[in-house]
Amino acid sequence: MADTSVEITEYAQYDAKNRGGKDRAGAVTNTPTGTPTGARKLTSSRTRSRSARQRSQIRTAYTMLIPSFIGVGLFLMVPIILVLLISLTRWNLISDPVFVGVENYRSMFESPGFWNSVRVTCLFSLIAIPGAIIIGLLIALGLNRRLPGSTILQVMYVIPWVAAPLALGIVWNWMLAPSGFINEILGTHSAWLASERTALPVVAFVYVWQNVGYISLFFLAALQSIPRDLYEAAQLDGAGKLRTLYSITLPLIRPTTFFVMVTSFISSFQVFDLVYGLTEGHPGYPGSTTDVIAARIYSAAFTSPQIGEASAMAVFLTIIIVIVTVLQQRYFSSRMTYEMS
């Protein structure tokens, strides 16, 4: 029995030293023998050093972002706030602004001309955006084959996008005149931009021609980032070109498609200078068929001038763009693949 008591006492001492408890003398032992005091100090020092380094990196990052914050604040947030405030006033750039509340919004929504501009802009976007994206994708697929002269073609496709839209509009207005270059080729004397039936489609055609090179370059970059192993595996499985396009290419370029759709939508809803050049400075001609909403904003601001109403229309345009962009993001968010390695 004595031997058993000694063993129990020794076990209690060992347990108290390693897990905390009472030793033989009744003292509480709280420090496990498995973690030396020096090791704890070293770990604590390393943690403090890591935290200080992280705080320093965060301060450096925010310091470098200060110029961007200033730029966004001065050239984005401040103008938005000013437009919101001006939309609540009646102002003609000469007399002092007069606060009128939501009167500008009420008159805007009651204006048949405003809703005609919204309709024209939506119709223009429905014509231009699908055409530009489909043609841009087809051009990118052709350029991706790396045929001789592809580099030269890439440069040629981008030139219209780099050029000033107003200058392009003036040139195309001359080419589409009854005695212009296009009619000379076709052997006709059609007034393409003077007909209510053809004016808007012609404007959309010029828009597509201008932007298709920009879109094709983004699609080309996306196509070249797809691993070739996927196409080789599809060929081994007996997949044809259409099946490969539908099952591999299109799903993997959805992030680019989303980006192109968003930027094209914003650009089409803000189109103005191209229309201004094509209509010789009379947006809406003929018969309000080319009266896009950006042109109506310009007319209200600098022709009337009614800065408050123009600001209200600008706010409405911004809200529409944000809503459609969010809807596009929600649609593509669950259908996009970013990891292709």
Side-chain angles (χ1 to χ4, degrees), residues 62 100 107 172 207-208:
Y62 278 109
V100 294
S107 61
W172 273 99
Y207 173 88
V208 171

Side-chain angles (χ1 to χ4, degrees), residues 90-290:
R90 182 182 294 111
W91 187 31
N92 60 4
L93 291 177
I94 299 176
S95 59
D96 294 333
V98 178
F99 180 79
V100 294
V102 296
E103 179 65 23
N104 290 323
Y105 292 94
R106 187 187 63 80
S107 61
M108 177 186 70
F109 288 127
E110 293 178 353
S111 172
F114 170 76
W115 290 112
N116 176 72
S117 296
V118 174
R119 182 188 65 82
V120 169
T121 305
C122 292
L123 185 58
F124 170 81
S125 298
L126 290 175
I127 297 173
I129 294 177
I133 292 177
I134 293 173
I135 297 175
L137 177 59
L138 293 176
I139 291 175
L141 290 171
L143 294 174
N144 194 43
R145 300 178 65 182
R146 295 179 174 86
L147 297 175
S150 297
T151 304
I152 298 176
L153 290 176
Q154 291 180 31
V155 176
M156 292 178 62
Y157 288 137
V158 173
I159 289 176
W161 179 71
V162 176
L166 180 59
L168 292 178
I170 295 173
V171 171
W172 273 99
N173 177 271
W174 169 77
M175 294 174 62
L176 293 167
S179 59
F181 179 72
I182 301 299
N183 281 313
E184 288 292 333
I185 294 177
L186 299 177
T188 61
H189 292 81
S190 300
W192 300 98
L193 293 169
S195 172
E196 295 184 8
R197 185 171 57 89
T198 60
L200 187 62
V202 168
V203 173
F205 166 78
V206 177
Y207 173 88
V208 171
W209 173 83
Q210 180 195 7
N211 290 274
V212 72
Y214 158 83
I215 293 174
S216 66
L217 286 186
F218 278 100
F219 277 130
L220 179 61
L223 292 172
Q224 291 178 348
S225 67
I226 299 177
R228 306 303 301 176
D229 297 343
L230 298 178
Y231 292 111
E232 294 174 359
Q235 291 178 355
L236 292 176
D237 290 339
K241 292 183 178 180
L242 290 178
R243 181 64 178 176
T244 302
L245 175 66
Y246 178 77
S247 300
I248 296 178
T249 304
L250 294 182
L252 291 180
I253 64 172
R254 278 176 183 161
T256 302
T257 305
F258 167 70
F259 172 79
V260 167
M261 288 188 65
V262 170
T263 55
S264 297
F265 172 78
I266 295 173
S267 174
S268 66
F269 258 64
Q270 293 179 337
V271 65
F272 166 71
D273 37 10
L274 183 66
V275 178
Y276 192 87
L278 284 168
T279 58
E280 298 181 342
H282 300 88
Y285 176 83
S288 299
T289 55
T290 59

Side-chain angles (χ1 to χ4, degrees), residues 79 81-101 103-104 107 297-312:
I81 295 174
L82 289 177
V83 168
L84 285 171
L85 295 176
I86 294 173
S87 68
L88 303 176
T89 65
R90 182 182 294 111
W91 187 31
N92 60 4
L93 291 177
I94 299 176
S95 59
D96 294 333
V98 178
F99 180 79
V100 294
E103 179 65 23
N104 290 323
S107 61
I297 293 174
Y298 170 84
S299 177
F302 301 106
T303 302
S304 299
Q306 298 172 347
I307 305 300
E309 291 188 10
S311 299

